[in-house]
Structure formats: C-alpha cells, structure tokens
Amino acid sequence: MKRTEPDARGAIAFTESDPRIGELLQRTRRIMDLSLIASLASWDQQTAMPSGASEARMYQMASIRSVIHEQASAPRIGELLYELSSIVAQAPFTDADRGLVRQMQRAYHWETKLPAELVEEVESVRVASVDVWIRARRHSDFASFAPWLERTVVLQREIADRIGYSETRYDALLDAFEPEMTAKRVAELFTPIRDISITMLKRIQASGNTIDTSCLYGTFPLEQQKTLSERLLSTIGYDFQRGQVARSAHPMTCRFGSPVDVRLTLRYNERCLVQALMTALHEGGHALYEQGNAYNIMRTPVVGNMVSIPVIGGASLGAHESQSRLWENALGRSLPFWQGGKFAIIQQSFPEQFKNVDVIDFVRALNKVEPGLIRTEADEVTYNLHIILRFELEKALINGEISVEALPDLWNAKYREYLGIEPANDAEGVLQDIHWPFAYFGYFPTYTLGNLYGAQILHTLYKTFPDFDERLAAGDTNFVLQWLCEHMYAFGGIYRSQDLLKRMTGEAADPQYFVRYLTNKFESIYHLAAQ
Amino acid sequence: MKRTEPDARGAIAFTESDPRIGELLQRTRRIMDLSLIASLASWDQQTAMPSGASEARMYQMASIRSVIHEQASAPRIGELLYELSSIVAQAPFTDADRGLVRQMQRAYHWETKLPAELVEEVESVRVASVDVWIRARRHSDFASFAPWLERTVVLQREIADRIGYSETRYDALLDAFEPEMTAKRVAELFTPIRDISITMLKRIQASGNTIDTSCLYGTFPLEQQKTLSERLLSTIGYDFQRGQVARSAHPMTCRFGSPVDVRLTLRYNERCLVQALMTALHEGGHALYEQGNAYNIMRTPVVGNMVSIPVIGGASLGAHESQSRLWENALGRSLPFWQGGKFAIIQQSFPEQFKNVDVIDFVRALNKVEPGLIRTEADEVTYNLHIILRFELEKALINGEISVEALPDLWNAKYREYLGIEPANDAEGVLQDIHWPFAYFGYFPTYTLGNLYGAQILHTLYKTFPDFDERLAAGDTNFVLQWLCEHMYAFGGIYRSQDLLKRMTGEAADPQYFVRYLTNKFESIYHLAAQ
C-alpha cells in the first residue's frame, strides 16, 4: 500500500517553530520511545520469552514504567500544558497541536492523579488476579476468584474517584478507553442495538432456516493456513515491510512505532478455517489503521495514548474496533469481497477441500447465526448481546449497584434473557474473559461501539462509492483503504472519536445505521420477509 | 540442568544490610533492567523487526540509552562509589560487594569521562560506517571505506585519551573488553601461540597427510538441522525453560536477564552440517556460562558489564570466549564427546547420510587443517593466526604507528607471512570483519585469549577428573558443566578474568597449555611423529 498523507502541511503538521510545542514534542517523543520499547518487551513476553524469565521481566517492566511515569509527570510538562491550553485553540496552532496537547493532558492527568502506591498495587493485584483466574476458570470455581475481583473493583473505584467524573464512577474508567463517552450515552446507543439483536435472533430461529457450514470444517495444516492468512493480509494492503505476523494463543495487534512497525499475531485451528481467516481480517483491520497513520505524528502520543492508559491507538478503542470489524465483518463476511479473487486464493490453498464449494455457500457459511455462550465465537447478530450484558454488569458493579457474589447468577440470567441459553458452569460463564481479572473495566462497550461506528462509516462508503460492491467483486479493496487512510487512519488520535465520526460521516454516532445493516444483511441471508 | 549455587551465603551474597551497598544495588538494578530491555530491542532488530522500522528504532535506542546514561552517571552513584571504595576491601564486605563496586566504578568512569557529543558521534559514525562497509565489501572497494575507518580511529583515540591508560592508547580500548589487560601482556601471551601455530601448520603441510571431509557435505534440510541443534544443546545442558533458539544471519548469544533469559541464534548451511553443529556448541558454551550465573547476582552489573562498555558478561570477553571454544573445540571436536551418544543423534537425524560413516572419520573430518582467508571458517591450528595479525594491525593503527591507507597491503603481507596465502581482493581481506566498522578496537585479541584460557582450564579439568575422556565417551558432559558452574559460571563478573583463572587453575595465564594442547591434538590427528 502506498501511504497517503492528505494534508501533511495542514491539519497533521505540528507547529514545531513554537517553542512550547517544540519542547513538548521533544519531551513526548522521548517518553513515547520508551513506551514503545516497553510494548516490545510485552510482545516478547507473549510471543517468545522463555517461561523462566517471568519474574525478571516483571522487574524490567516495573523499572521502565517508573521512568516513563517520572518523565510523563514532570512538572515542566504541566507548565507547558498550562501555557498551551489557553492558546492552542487559535491560529497559528493546528489540529495536530491541539491533538498533542489534549493527549498529553490526559496522560499527565492520569500520571499525576494516581499515587505510585496505587498504581503498583493495581499492577500486583492484576498479576495475581490473572493467575488465580486461570486456575479458577480451569476448575470452574468462581468462589476462589471472587476475593480478587472484589479487590480489583475496590481499586478501580479508587482510581475513578481520583481521576474524577461528572455522572458516575464508571464514566472515569470508560474514559480511559473511549474518551469523553459516558455510561448514560452508551446505554442510549446500545438500547436499539440490544433490541434489534434480540428481534433478529428470534426471527431467524422462528424461520426454521438453517445454514450448512460443513465446507468450513476439515483438515487444514497450520503452515498452509499461515501462508493463506499472509496472502489475505497482503491483498487487503497490509505492508510486510512495516509489519510482521507471529503466532500467539490470543491474537493481537501490537505497534512499536506506527506507522512503521505494526505487527500482529494470529492463531490457527487445524479443524476449522474460519478462525484463521477472520482473525487475519480482524487484526488486519487494526493493523491497517496503524499503518495508515501519517508519518508526521510518529513518536508522539497523537498516534494513540501511552503510559498508564492502555489504549491501542487511533481516535479511541471504539474507533479502532470499528476498523477491525469493518474489515472482518462488513467486508470479510460479504459476498463481493470473496468473489473478488479472495475465494480463489482459498481454493488454491486447499484445492481438495474447496474445489466443489460455491462462493455463495462459503459466504453463507461464514454468516451462520447461532446463539452460543462464548463471546469470541459469536456471529454478528448475537455478538453485541454478549457485550451489552457485560457492560450492564460491570457498570452496576463499579457503581456499587450489585455485589461480586451476585455476578454468576446475574450473568446466567442475562444469557437466558438475551440469548435464550444458559452456561452449564462459570468457566463458560462469568469466568470467560480476561478483562475483569486484568482490571479492564470500561473496555467491553468499545466492541459494540466499534460495530456501531463501523456501520455508520460503511454507510458513508456506500454513498461515496455507488459502485462499492462492484469494485469489491472486481477484486479491488484499495479504494476502501485509500478513503479510510485519507479520512481516518492518517489522523491517528488527532481528533476525538465522536468528532472524527462527525468529520467522516457528517453526523453524530447513530445506532440506526447498525440496526439497518443487521436487518438488511440477515433478512437476505436467512431469506426472511422484510418487515 | 539443575543450577548450582556453591556458596550463596558466602562470596556470592551482597551485604544488602549495609545502606550504601543497599542503595547502590537498588540504583544499579534499575539501570540494569533498562539495559536488558535495550538489549531485547537490539535482538528484536536483528531477528524480527520489519525493515521499515529502522529509523524509528534508532530513535528508540537513543532515548533509552540516554536514560541509562543519566542514571548511570548520577552524582549520587559517584558518592556511593567513593565511600565504598575505601572500605569494601575489608569485612563484612564480600567478594560480590567488591565485584559490584568494581563493575560500577568502570561503568561510572566510562559514563562520566565521555561527553555526550562524543558518544553520539561514535554512534552515528558507527551506523554510517557499517552501512558504507557493507557496500564497500560488496564491491571490494577499500578506498570508499577508508575515510570512515579513519574517522573511527580518530574517535577511538579520543576515547582512549579521555578514559586514560598507563602504557599505550590501545590499552584503554582493550580494557573495555578484557579488563586490566595491556597490549604488552597480550603480545607476550601471543608470541608462543603464533609460533606454534605457524610451526604446526608447516608440519601438517609437510607431512602430506590429508583428511577426507566428504561425509560432512550433502543435503541437510534446515528444519532437521534446527531440531538436531536443539537436541545437541539439550544434551550439553542448555535449559530451554530459560532460553530460546532463533535464526539470524550472524549467530550470537543474547541475555535479557542472566541466568533466566539467555537466548541464542544459529545459522544453517543446507549443503554442510558443520556450521550448524559447531555454531550450536559455540553459542551453547556462551549460553551455559550465562545460565550458570548465580541467581543472587541477577539484575546487577556483576553478571557482566552494561551501558557503554559492550561486554557480553562473565569475567571478561576472553573468559566468555574460553567457554564457547571449550564446548565447541575441546569437547565438540573430540572423539569421546561424539562417541558418547552425540554421533548417534546425528545418525538418527540424517540416517542416509551417516549410516556408513564411522565416528572416528567424522571427528577427523571436523578437524581438517587448511589455511584459508576467512577467519570464521578457520580450523584450530590457523584460527589464532587470523586473530594475532588483526591484533597487531589494530594496535599499530590506534597507537599511530601505521596509517589506514597502508592497511590492505599490510594485511595481505601478514597473511602471506603467517598463513602462506594471500587474499585476491579486499572483500576477502581487510574488509572481512564487522569489528572495525563497528568501532570494536580491542575486541579481536579476546578470541585468542579465550583459546589460551580454555586450554588452561581444560588442563585443570583433566587433572580433576582423571577419567575425563571415559566419562565423555560414556555420554556424560554434566560433570564438566557442574564443575564449571561451581568454579566459574556462578560468579559471573565478581572476579577479574586473571584472578578467576588463578582461582580456577592455581596459576596465572600461561600460553604453554594451549601450545601443548595444539601439539598433542594435531600430532595425533595428522599422525605426526612427536618432536
């Protein structure tokens, strides 16, 4: 992919000649460098580090984090931010300057508001808690994990109190992942999504129509899946000169300097091809966003947040997820995408398995709807229900409306209510995700926000390119990537996600786009009469 | 391998209760953590990083190095070292305390004596110089590289002047790799080695005896070579729980926290098995040394130097090389080693190739002597001649006795004199090694010092274990590893290499052990009449 820098002389350029912007940039670039090396050490930990090194690595991470903390909370940064905040709105300052000041203000706020002992306790509780959770899940033993979750909730409440919020404690935590979003606004956006998801699921089940997915199962040697995934990534524009693909138990995208070093990990299932394909497109979407960042904002927090606020980059976690889901679902589970030469790649990779499979049946198989207990395996119709119930539970937990002990029953009740099924045990229920042991409260809603933003952006793409499907079917995805680079990826975190969405689509976030997307797509796939 | 901590309550324990030792440890552990993460970033650069990330990584390395520099040159460290230096020789302080103070003094000296601009210039000249050298070597064009080498020599002289020395400038540079060694002492040690090498080579050539090495050539799929190398590493005691094997163009051992995270890279030649085998044993020897460090000294500079002095660890680079060469040559090119089940592993890995090969012929093939132009491919008889001529040239260069322009001719003349052959061009001559472009003056002699120390240690091993060969032939190498761990590896850099050698062998470094080793071994292999 050729990178696009739409207006490097305009919005994306920093006013380096201003001595305050100059000094702020100089300091933040150094902090960012350290932060990127720390990310590299985390990636190494998950992909290569020998098991015996865990304790030593823990010390190393603590040491580098403490240096980052010292530098990011330096009084001089506070002075520069104070001076700049009153003038940066006007000329000659640019959107990039404003993005820089805003991102550094958030980081400085988090770094200075939280005492070191609290940060250390959160970290050590996290390590222990993940450890206990792994064993608890293995034995489906929520009781052993409960005290650690209790402690995590107490610590997260303390963080919320110190960071500050206007409406509820949960808002402070949510803000770390989706800046300036509130629980109240999320609930408003989610209500129509919850309703359409439940309705669509019932309509599909009532129709009695089924989808045959047998073509996706067989024997797929891992080495060939790897080659196939990498070819697929190449065709959508992932640049291997600025990236690399590794394997890990949990797929992820990691950046050690966007846009020039953006790597991803995949996982493969020998018996089923879906996982590899969809993971490649999902992580590929994240990676395209990062590789699309303008070079000007490299080494600054404008490529995404750093230090104590664990955001992957871009405008927000929701904005990022909108791209992974756009490439995975809106494109990657659509007929024209596979018709455009991609299904042929699969047929070349596994000729025996696919020689007699029709692309239409293949894509239908990718879109089978079936309520399940496992979030990460959910289809597009049921996925958001998994998220919404988690959001409702964690919000109530942080805001003190429910207790940790009550969680398993509430979890099961919500699965019954939304999906009509119930976990047989806590391992496949409340103990399913790492987010809570990891103290990531406020993270879950960004998945569904991503779907919502993604559908709205997709609508704009269809308006902009009336021949969208035809171009996809002709094998072109580059026009999509170019448009997204110019209107979204290049800017990194210069704009807040809500502002960015407005710039891209002309409107504030509106769940009706997702409602319509889901309705149209699954009425067609399941041959349902339009209502 | 079960790790051994001989006297963790004695020499290897720090006096943490002393507030000065306590504070020094606290500060150095943090610096060491950062330094280890920086090493990880270098390793990543050579094994995984996408090419597009080079510039971004350069900034990252500069940023973390500048933090390390600030912390290692902090005035408070100077104060602590000043206080401790006058009292650390007495009780209650231990050898570990003395090692800590000595190592930190060296680091502090280097960090404070060299101005930041000089360090930066060395770094940027190094990057450019390596770049020019790669192209110069490709076109065998010494003239294009000469100005960069000139500049490097000037900078190295300036470093020497600032660091200080008693006899010659070269001593200051040598000291970075082999503490407290001087050019004069090296020349004394090397003279008998040069003489015996030339003599042995002539005797072998005069004998007219040849060795058939055809059994080493064939087709060896890389994946099987990898598995074989890893099995070999396992049998000699390399612990994969605390290590990992990767691939790179240049084999190396990297430690990101000895003894718990010691990784190595290997390279394979599809047509010849020797490279994989010998590289595995060579890097394996380095790795065993690091994995053998006592846990007490982890995260301290006592496991080896840090920051500006690029030493791999242990007592010195020579001490380290003694171990890679001991495992590669003294064991790995000996008959009893391969008889002890190791040749059977090779036969299992490549049954077609080796089913009719006798282990005696195999080991003879590993020991073929033939003067060549490439240092890294040299046999044990000629290897030190490659080193000694480089030492003589670089010493004269730094001390201002010869000019850069004269180097190619002097190089060729020395090859003719010592080895009886001459490079056809500078690519296979003076442009051969990365050490000079990399500004590593004083590094070369440590290879031959390693051979010298190694032979002396081997002599002690034979004295300690009169049934040494029998035990090897019975498949045991663990007794060697245990003894080396207890007498050498556990101590890391607590002792200076010369002191350590005396502790281990009862004597100062003596080249006669190597002279005898070489004579006996090659008289036997080439069926020469003893003189």
Side-chain angles (χ1 to χ4, degrees):
Chain A
M1 183 197 90
K2 233 184 130 329
R3 67 197 154 87
T4 316
E5 301 196 20
D7 55 353
R9 295 166 311 279
I12 303 186
F14 295 108
T15 313
E16 300 230 21
S17 58
D18 179 274
R20 292 150 298 192
I21 291 287
E23 188 182 344
L24 190 61
L25 274 174
Q26 195 186 12
R27 286 175 172 266
T28 57
R29 282 179 179 141
R30 186 165 149 167
I31 300 170
M32 197 70 189
D33 285 336
L34 297 174
S35 178
L36 291 169
I37 294 187
S39 304
L40 184 71
S42 289
W43 153 281
D44 173 77
Q45 203 164 343
Q46 286 172 75
T47 58
M49 190 188 81
S51 58
S54 317
E55 194 188 337
R57 180 58 55 86
M58 208 180 67
Y59 288 123
Q60 291 165 14
M61 295 305 286
S63 290
I64 195 163
R65 279 203 198 106
S66 80
V67 173
I68 292 169
H69 169 74
E70 275 162 29
Q71 301 207 352
S73 60
R76 180 63 187 146
I77 290 200
E79 288 166 22
L80 289 165
L81 290 172
Y82 181 77
E83 279 187 59
L84 282 163
S85 60
S86 60
I87 51 170
V88 79
Q90 292 109 46
F93 297 104
T94 63
D95 287 354
D97 296 331
R98 286 181 276 277
L100 173 70
V101 170
R102 198 189 69 245
Q103 293 285 68
M104 277 311 290
Q105 261 166 340
R106 290 186 74 219
Y108 186 74
H109 187 74
W110 277 76
E111 292 293 336
T112 53
K113 291 288 173 188
L114 303 183
E117 311 78 59
L118 177 60
V119 173
E120 271 163 38
E121 194 182 348
V122 168
E123 202 49 54
S124 67
V125 168
R126 169 176 291 151
V127 171
S129 170
V130 167
D131 216 55
V132 170
W133 166 74
I134 290 169
R135 271 173 293 139
R137 196 174 55 162
R138 196 177 299 138
H139 303 108
S140 197
D141 170 23
F142 182 77
S144 68
F145 174 59
W148 288 97
L149 184 53
E150 189 72 66
R151 184 77 205 127
T152 297
V153 169
V154 168
L155 290 170
Q156 291 299 309
R157 284 187 193 138
E158 185 178 344
I159 288 177
D161 290 342
R162 289 182 181 270
I163 292 298
Y165 53 84
S166 57
E167 294 173 15
T168 69
R169 271 186 178 135
Y170 185 77
D171 297 345
L173 306 181
L174 180 59
D175 187 86
F177 301 103
E178 194 67 21
E180 296 172 60
M181 186 56 80
T182 64
K184 194 171 150 223
R185 175 84 178 119
V186 170
E188 283 166 13
L189 294 168
F190 281 7
T191 303
I193 293 182
R194 182 180 57 191
D195 295 345
I196 190 65
S197 303
I198 293 174
T199 306
M200 278 307 297
L201 178 58
K202 286 188 175 151
R203 287 178 65 195
I204 288 166
Q205 288 175 322
S207 76
N209 298 338
T210 57
I211 287 177
D212 177 12
T213 59
S214 58
C215 68
L216 304 175
Y217 296 86
T219 300
F220 307 96
L222 302 191
E223 211 38 54
Q224 279 161 264
Q225 289 198 53
K226 182 171 183 292
T227 309
L228 169 60
S229 304
E230 291 180 4
R231 278 189 72 184
L232 206 52
L233 283 165
S234 266
T235 67
I236 65 167
Y238 177 74
D239 180 357
F240 283 87
Q241 297 291 308
R242 299 183 286 140
Q244 193 220 34
V245 175
R247 246 180 101 178
S248 74
H250 302 283
M252 58 185 171
T253 304
C254 294
R255 70 246 171 84
F256 313 121
S258 299
V260 297
D261 192 351
V262 184
R263 309 185 202 176
L264 45 90
T265 65
L266 302 178
R267 73 172 152 192
Y268 310 103
N269 176 342
E270 202 160 16
R271 300 269 152 231
C272 178
L273 197 57
V274 174
Q275 215 167 42
L277 297 177
M278 292 302 131
T279 308
L281 292 172
H282 182 99
E283 300 305 327
H286 282 304
L288 291 178
Y289 195 164
E290 294 292 321
Q291 288 193 336
N293 285 178
Y295 276 62
N296 298 40
I297 58 173
M298 191 166 92
R299 299 180 69 217
T300 76
V302 175
V303 298
N305 241 312
M306 59 178 179
V307 287
S308 55
I309 316 177
V311 177
I312 191 183
S316 73
L317 209 48
H320 233 291
E321 201 66 17
S322 80
Q323 296 312 297
S324 56
R325 305 228 147 232
L326 189 110
W327 288 95
E328 177 194 353
N329 293 333
L331 297 178
R333 292 184 205 265
S334 79
L335 183 58
F337 176 83
W338 292 104
Q339 281 174 325
K342 276 79 178 173
F343 186 61
I345 298 178
I346 295 185
Q347 285 179 314
Q348 284 158 21
S349 304
F350 299 103
E352 274 307 304
Q353 175 85 12
F354 288 103
K355 67 180 168 197
N356 295 319
V357 176
D358 189 279
V359 63
I360 295 180
D361 296 325
F362 172 73
V363 173
R364 271 177 62 81
L366 292 180
N367 283 291
K368 180 175 175 146
V369 174
E370 195 170 37
L373 294 165
I374 308 302
R375 173 181 65 84
T376 56
E377 297 171 1
D379 54 78
E380 284 186 85
V381 172
T382 56
Y383 186 84
N384 294 304
L385 296 172
H386 291 266
I387 296 303
I388 291 169
L389 68 84
R390 283 160 173 77
F391 159 66
E392 292 166 345
L393 291 174
E394 70 175 19
K395 179 182 66 169
L397 200 57
I398 294 293
N399 292 343
E401 294 152 17
I402 60 171
S403 70
V404 165
E405 294 78 54
L407 265 186
D409 286 344
L410 291 169
W411 179 284
N412 296 349
K414 279 196 186 283
Y415 264 86
R416 211 164 43 232
E417 184 189 347
Y418 294 170
L419 289 144
I421 52 174
E422 202 173 313
N425 54 56
D426 291 337
E428 57 178 32
V430 69
L431 289 172
Q432 181 175 139
D433 304 289
I434 200 177
H435 300 61
W436 293 345
F438 215 77
Y440 272 5
F441 285 86
Y443 191 116
F444 278 127
T446 67
Y447 291 114
T448 288
L449 288 171
N451 284 328
L452 188 158
Y453 303 158
Q456 188 162 339
I457 292 166
L458 183 68
H459 177 81
T460 300
L461 280 164
Y462 268 100
K463 267 201 315 195
T464 309
F465 303 101
D467 56 348
F468 189 87
D469 281 347
E470 289 73 19
R471 292 173 79 159
L472 279 192
D476 185 9
T477 54
N478 195 44
F479 73 104
V480 183
L481 181 56
Q482 286 299 332
W483 190 89
L484 290 168
C485 279
E486 281 171 40
H487 294 83
M488 181 177 196
Y489 300 171
F491 299 104
I494 288 183
Y495 304 110
R496 282 177 278 234
S497 55
Q498 302 310 307
D499 297 339
L500 180 67
L501 198 65
K502 232 175 260 173
R503 285 175 63 100
M504 294 178 73
T505 68
E507 290 175 86
D510 181 346
Q512 288 311 317
Y513 290 105
F514 183 78
V515 169
R516 263 177 266 155
Y517 164 81
L518 203 72
T519 307
N520 294 339
K521 175 167 181 175
F522 287 92
E523 279 182 349
S524 158
I525 282 172
Y526 273 92
H527 311 305
L528 308 177
Q531 288 190 322
Chain B
M1 183 199 90
K2 235 187 129 322
R3 66 196 157 85
T4 318
E5 300 195 24
D7 56 352
R9 293 164 314 277
I12 304 187
F14 295 108
T15 312
E16 300 230 23
S17 58
D18 181 273
R20 292 149 299 191
I21 291 287
E23 188 182 345
L24 189 61
L25 274 174
Q26 195 186 12
R27 284 175 175 268
T28 56
R29 282 180 179 141
R30 188 165 147 166
I31 300 169
M32 196 70 188
D33 285 336
L34 297 174
S35 179
L36 292 168
I37 294 187
S39 306
L40 184 70
S42 290
W43 154 280
D44 173 77
Q45 203 165 343
Q46 286 171 77
T47 58
M49 190 187 80
S51 57
S54 317
E55 192 188 338
R57 180 58 55 85
M58 208 182 67
Y59 288 124
Q60 292 163 15
M61 295 305 285
S63 291
I64 195 163
R65 281 204 196 104
S66 80
V67 173
I68 291 169
H69 169 74
E70 276 163 28
Q71 300 206 353
S73 59
R76 180 64 188 146
I77 290 198
E79 288 167 23
L80 288 166
L81 290 172
Y82 181 77
E83 281 187 59
L84 281 163
S85 60
S86 60
I87 52 171
V88 78
Q90 293 110 48
F93 297 104
T94 62
D95 287 353
D97 296 331
R98 288 181 274 277
L100 173 70
V101 169
R102 197 189 70 245
Q103 293 284 68
M104 276 310 290
Q105 260 166 342
R106 292 186 72 219
Y108 187 75
H109 187 74
W110 277 77
E111 293 293 336
T112 52
K113 290 287 172 191
L114 303 182
E117 311 78 59
L118 177 60
V119 173
E120 271 163 40
E121 196 184 347
V122 168
E123 200 51 51
S124 66
V125 168
R126 167 176 293 151
V127 172
S129 170
V130 167
D131 215 54
V132 171
W133 166 74
I134 289 170
R135 271 173 293 137
R137 196 175 54 161
R138 197 177 299 139
H139 304 108
S140 197
D141 171 21
F142 182 77
S144 67
F145 175 59
W148 289 96
L149 184 55
E150 190 70 68
R151 183 79 204 123
T152 299
V153 169
V154 169
L155 290 170
Q156 292 300 308
R157 285 189 192 136
E158 185 177 344
I159 288 177
D161 289 342
R162 289 181 180 271
I163 293 296
Y165 53 85
S166 57
E167 294 172 17
T168 69
R169 272 188 178 134
Y170 184 78
D171 297 344
L173 306 180
L174 180 60
D175 186 86
F177 301 103
E178 195 67 22
E180 295 170 60
M181 185 58 78
T182 64
K184 193 171 152 226
R185 175 86 179 117
V186 169
E188 284 165 14
L189 293 168
F190 281 8
T191 303
I193 293 183
R194 183 181 56 191
D195 296 346
I196 189 66
S197 303
I198 294 173
T199 307
M200 278 307 298
L201 178 58
K202 288 188 175 149
R203 288 178 64 195
I204 289 167
Q205 289 175 322
S207 77
N209 298 338
T210 56
I211 287 178
D212 176 12
T213 59
S214 57
C215 68
L216 303 175
Y217 295 87
T219 300
F220 307 97
L222 302 190
E223 211 38 55
Q224 278 159 264
Q225 288 198 51
K226 183 172 183 291
T227 309
L228 169 60
S229 304
E230 291 179 3
R231 277 188 73 184
L232 206 52
L233 283 164
S234 266
T235 67
I236 64 168
Y238 176 73
D239 180 358
F240 282 87
Q241 297 291 307
R242 298 182 288 140
Q244 194 220 32
V245 175
R247 247 180 101 178
S248 74
H250 303 283
M252 58 185 172
T253 304
C254 295
R255 70 246 170 84
F256 314 120
S258 297
V260 297
D261 192 351
V262 185
R263 309 185 201 176
L264 45 90
T265 65
L266 301 179
R267 73 171 153 195
Y268 310 102
N269 177 342
E270 201 160 17
R271 302 268 153 233
C272 179
L273 198 58
V274 173
Q275 214 167 42
L277 297 178
M278 292 301 132
T279 307
L281 292 172
H282 183 98
E283 300 304 327
H286 282 304
L288 291 178
Y289 196 166
E290 294 292 322
Q291 287 193 337
N293 284 179
Y295 275 63
N296 297 39
I297 58 174
M298 190 166 94
R299 299 178 68 218
T300 76
V302 175
V303 298
N305 241 314
M306 59 175 177
V307 288
S308 54
I309 317 175
V311 176
I312 193 183
S316 74
L317 210 49
H320 233 290
E321 202 64 18
S322 79
Q323 294 313 295
S324 55
R325 305 226 150 234
L326 188 109
W327 288 93
E328 177 194 352
N329 292 335
L331 297 177
R333 293 185 204 264
S334 79
L335 183 59
F337 176 83
W338 292 104
Q339 282 174 323
K342 275 80 175 172
F343 186 62
I345 298 178
I346 296 185
Q347 286 179 313
Q348 284 158 21
S349 303
F350 300 103
E352 274 309 304
Q353 175 85 12
F354 289 103
K355 66 181 168 195
N356 295 320
V357 176
D358 189 280
V359 63
I360 293 178
D361 296 325
F362 171 74
V363 173
R364 272 177 62 82
L366 293 180
N367 284 293
K368 180 178 175 142
V369 175
E370 194 167 40
L373 295 165
I374 308 302
R375 172 181 64 84
T376 56
E377 295 170 3
D379 55 76
E380 284 185 85
V381 171
T382 56
Y383 186 85
N384 295 305
L385 296 172
H386 292 265
I387 297 303
I388 291 167
L389 68 85
R390 283 161 174 78
F391 159 67
E392 292 166 347
L393 291 173
E394 70 174 19
K395 181 183 63 170
L397 200 57
I398 294 293
N399 292 342
E401 295 150 17
I402 61 172
S403 70
V404 165
E405 295 76 54
L407 264 186
D409 286 344
L410 291 168
W411 179 285
N412 296 349
K414 280 197 184 281
Y415 264 86
R416 210 164 43 234
E417 183 187 349
Y418 295 171
L419 288 143
I421 54 175
E422 202 173 311
N425 55 55
D426 291 337
E428 57 178 34
V430 69
L431 289 172
Q432 180 175 141
D433 304 288
I434 198 173
H435 300 62
W436 292 343
F438 215 76
Y440 273 4
F441 286 85
Y443 191 116
F444 278 127
T446 67
Y447 292 115
T448 288
L449 288 172
N451 284 329
L452 188 157
Y453 303 158
Q456 188 162 337
I457 292 167
L458 184 69
H459 176 81
T460 301
L461 279 165
Y462 270 100
K463 268 202 314 197
T464 309
F465 302 101
D467 54 349
F468 189 86
D469 281 345
E470 289 72 17
R471 289 173 81 160
L472 280 192
D476 186 9
T477 55
N478 195 44
F479 74 103
V480 183
L481 181 57
Q482 286 298 333
W483 190 89
L484 290 168
C485 279
E486 279 170 42
H487 294 83
M488 181 178 197
Y489 301 171
F491 299 104
I494 288 182
Y495 303 110
R496 283 178 277 236
S497 55
Q498 302 310 308
D499 297 338
L500 180 67
L501 198 65
K502 231 174 264 173
R503 287 176 61 101
M504 291 177 73
T505 68
E507 288 175 89
D510 181 347
Q512 288 311 319
Y513 291 106
F514 183 79
V515 169
R516 261 177 267 158
Y517 164 81
L518 203 72
T519 308
N520 294 339
K521 174 166 183 176
F522 287 92
E523 280 182 348
S524 158
I525 283 173
Y526 274 91
H527 310 305
L528 309 177
Q531 289 188 319

